[in-house]
Amino acid sequence: MEKFTKITAIAVPLDRVNVDTDAIIPKQFLKSIKRSGFGPNLFDEWRYLDLGEPGMDNSQRSVNPDFVLNKARYANAQILLARDNFGCGSSREHAPWALEDFGIRVIIAPSFADIFYNNCFKNGILPIILPESTVDELFQVVEAQEGAQLTVDLVQQTISSDDSLSHNIDIRFEIDQFRRHCLLEGLDEIGLTLAHSDDIRNYENKQKEITPWLFNTR
Amino acid sequence: MTAKTLYDKLWDSHVVRENDDGTSLLYIDRQLIHEVTSPQAFEGLRIANRQPWKLSANLATPDHNVPTTDREQGIADPIAKLQVDTLDENCDLFGITEFKMDDIRQGIVHVVSPEQGATLPGMTLVCGDSHTSTHGAFGTLAFGIGTSEVEHVLATQCLIQKKSKNMLVQVNGRLNAGVTAKDVILAIIGKIGTAGGTGYAIEFAGDAIRSLSMEGRMTLSNMAIEAGARAGMIAVDETTIEFVKDRPYAPRGELWQSAAEYWQNFHSDNGAHFYKTVTLEASDIQPQVTWGTSPEMTMSIDDTIPDPAMENDPVKKDGMKAALDYMGLTAGTPINEVPVDVVFIGSCTNSRIEDIRAAAEIAKDKKVADGVKQALVVPGSGLIKQQAEDEGLDKILTDAGFEWREPGCSMCLAMNADRLEPQERCASTSNRNFEGRQGQGGRTHLVSPAMAAAAAIAGHFVRIDTL
Ligand code: SF4
């Protein structure tokens, strides 16, 4: 998993409550044998005017000009501003896969659905919970000034603005320290096990003496 | 030293480290891979830029949705084809040994691995498939896992696991004539229920179990999961070691000597503690037929369909009514009067050479009854198919009117083209009789291969010795 320490990026404001995983990635895309490549179909029903099916050439489809992710000023956004209960619905891990594939690394919302929240961490996405009023403030700032960039610093646990922004932002956020550690180090569950690589090798070396037939190269 | 169970020994010899939260990092010696549960695991490896920890620990073959006819034509269903192609690509890319669709060693993972000697006593073995319990027949700790765990094992050769409790299922005495491993396991599930083994690792023991061949033991362990237990084991003995000897992946020469000696230890010690013990008398077990939509809904071939009115537990009563309704059966009907439409002999439960021999023995010089629309025999692997053909079993079966197919899971789960039509009744040697398992609306009765073949000949369920 990719490490997360600090990013400075454009934030895109998605002003809806209860955005569910079926909206994030509609179910017809779940038959895929992959966990990458979902990015072009992120928010498919909102982003495009036609009905999306797997295997379509998405560059040929007509996009919905009113949908916020399609606006030129938010191109290359890596931070998603969202509202209450983001990521509700099914437990599909395809939802964070799609967000990650699209390029989103941080989601800021007043609340998240539980499973989705957990799945974010497994996929290198930082979900930040802030009070409703603070999220409101961020929406206002981002919408007011085109090209506004935010800096999210996981080491300092802060969200800040640079000089390009007229309105000064300086927000501190809380996060579970174990999860913070995993993101900072880029550790997923596999990464955590791999942190014990020496133990695994020691075990193998011991077993090579006891059950050598299990260590033939065949 | 304290007395240990077989499961304790397998567990203890594979703990890499113990975590503070009561879980352990468990070393996995062998992983089996098929097309349905592996694509996202490989994808995950690629995204994270990881390599398999120990390539030689993995063995792959496509089985769930390969066609069992006309292999030359390829796979018609695009989704199935994509999954099989993806498995091929992933195995080629990472360098994992795979028996592809055109390889004679291809077949159902749980049949292929023991056949190759890739399943060995004393090891830990996993696969993204719940019937991985099959391999417990070898004194192996074997259980099914999910896709994210498949990736975890690929990348680290380990899994984070919590130990289960020990349960002993003891079957004493000698089995009656015509009673097979399938009947024994159905009788056990009938007794303890489909949740009876939940949270446990089961060890099957007793004279009746010892007397079984390895094929029979695999049938038994295969269905441990239907009793709710992720793992079902049998102690290593001469039968185990004889079966493994000289198989392609088994150790040879000096290594064989030390391995065979090491494996002798994989049995429960005298006085080892089991949290729960269940005992059956072999003489009480008659050939079984399931009548409902759960493997615990099983009965003797001599009995009549049970009556929900006789059940006191209201939840069970409703369950029985719903099952009879779905199955289109009436309480009080003798099961041996119930006609069958389709017969399926195959699946990781019963598709080995012994199973096909048993079916052929019944079918010899007889004909499939007119009322039976289709009688399928699907060998578990290409090698079994070949051996059966060398023994002339295919000829006996096709002469009798059975279809002889290419190896795969086939009608066990109807992921390929082989499936039941709504309301068709099937005598099946597979392991699950859930609603819709063999096709929407299909009605499945689980039986042994001999009983399935007998039902094909008689056109209804029947005692083999009255055929
Ligand atoms: S034969 Fe049936 S139970 Fe066995 S692995 Fe295939 S689908 Fe699963």
Side-chain angles (χ1 to χ4, degrees), chain B residues 34 63-64 108-111 129-132 134 222 226 344 346-349 351 408-415 430-432 437:
Chain B
H34 64 86
D63 55 4
H64 280 65
I108 307 172
V109 274
H110 309 310
V111 173
D129 185 275
S130 60
H131 291 96
T132 308
T134 310
N222 174 272
E226 306 318 326
F344 170 61
S347 89
C348 57
T349 316
S351 63
C409 293
S410 181
M411 205 186 270
C412 174
L413 88 169
M415 229 173 135
S430 56
N431 44 47
R432 284 186 175 153
R437 169 79 176 183

Side-chain angles (χ1 to χ4, degrees), chain A residues 16-30:
Chain A
R16 302 187 193 220
V17 293
N18 301 322
V19 172
D20 64 29
T21 50
D22 201 44
I24 298 173
I25 183 80
K27 57 181 162 298
Q28 64 268 33
F29 300 104
L30 307 189

Side-chain angles (χ1 to χ4, degrees), chain A residues 82-141:
Chain A
R83 295 294 188 185
D84 254 330
N85 200 25
F86 188 82
C88 57
S90 87
S91 64
R92 67 185 67 150
E93 207 164 321
H94 303 70
W97 291 347
L99 286 157
E100 200 259 358
D101 193 62
F102 180 83
I104 300 293
R105 297 300 310 276
V106 179
I107 309 171
I108 302 170
S111 66
F112 291 89
D114 233 19
I115 298 172
F116 176 82
Y117 184 76
N118 288 324
N119 282 340
C120 282
F121 288 101
K122 283 192 194 163
N123 291 282
I125 297 173
L126 170 63
I128 299 175
I129 302 171
L130 291 175
E132 185 120 37
S133 56
T134 316
V135 175
D136 262 342
E137 184 192 342
L138 286 172
F139 266 93
Q140 280 164 25
V141 169

